[in-house]
Amino acid sequence: FIVPVKSKTITSDWTAFSRLVNRSINSICNQSNANFKVIVSCHEIPETKFNDDSRVEFLKVGFSPPILRKNAADIWILRADKGKKIKFATDYAMKIGASYVMTVDSDDWISNKICEFVCKNGNDSISGWYVKKGYLYPEGKRYSYLNLKNFNTICGSCAIIKPELIDLMYGSNFWFDHERTIFENGKSLLPLPFPGALYSMLNGSNIRLDSQEMKKRTRFNLFELKSFKTLFRRLAKYRLIPIVYIKKEFAIYDV
């Protein structure tokens, strides 16, 4: 499991962010099958209870932290930094003999069934899987939204792939394109047959779905036809699931 972590130099509250990282690693280590390794790719090692855990390795990168410009270009700078960290950790995973790697964002949760599934179903003919179905969780709520159709286009914790194929996931400028499932060489990723990840929203560290973006996406106007079309489209795609039903599988707790 590859966990790219942003630099302390661009984090407003390192202690609070470290708690998110700790929670994500805790979810990964909740796997029902112990045949896994967690590689945290970072500039600075976050403060977690896993610093001396043999299942977790903190791999410090050799390139400089990103310099943000305080404008629209920052999102691409952050994605490039994340992409380089994923590649750096994947190269290391290949050296230690990993059959598959899964990218996990440092503030998300994953199902405890993933390692067992991959160990049972992985073989030379399967390039990997993508998380088609997954949960969206607004921090602090008692419910989540189960996305049934395109979770991998929303959340970066979605790609399980052979490490030697990782370059197929990249676009230009080190941007790791987590939406890719079909590649030019004819290889492709299969849909994971169960909801595999939970996307933590509104936790203060999201690159994509921050509070402003959420307000825009959830806006509803009773007098607009397009609002009703959007509502029906969402009803076809999402199911409301109480957190209590998935709490154990994803090791969910609030920070």
Side-chain angles (χ1 to χ4, degrees), residues 107-149:
D107 53 353
D108 293 336
W109 293 271
I110 63 170
S111 168
N112 63 6
K113 300 185 294 185
I114 288 177
C115 185
E116 183 70 23
F117 174 85
V118 172
C119 287
K120 285 184 177 180
N121 295 279
N123 60 58
D124 291 340
S125 67
I126 296 179
S127 300
W129 298 264
Y130 69 97
V131 180
K132 179 180 180 180
K133 296 181 286 187
Y135 299 94
L136 279 64
Y137 171 59
E139 285 283 347
K141 303 297 184 182
R142 295 182 180 180
Y143 57 85
S144 63
Y145 302 98
L146 174 58
N147 181 299
L148 298 167
K149 295 185 177 182

Side-chain angles (χ1 to χ4, degrees), residues 174-226:
F174 290 102
W175 178 26
F176 183 84
D177 187 355
H178 58 80
E179 297 186 27
R180 289 188 177 184
T181 61
I182 300 174
F183 312 114
E184 293 180 357
N185 63 358
K187 295 184 180 296
S188 62
L189 302 180
L190 302 173
L192 197 69
F194 56 88
L198 187 149
Y199 181 21
S200 166
M201 303 185 298
L202 308 181
N203 60 42
S205 67
N206 302 111
I207 293 178
R208 186 171 181 177
L209 284 184
D210 57 15
S211 59
Q212 292 301 316
E213 182 65 16
M214 281 296 294
K215 286 179 181 178
K216 183 173 68 175
R217 292 188 180 212
T218 57
R219 175 180 173 272
F220 181 82
N221 188 327
L222 183 63
F223 302 102
E224 287 184 357
L225 178 61
K226 66 178 182 180

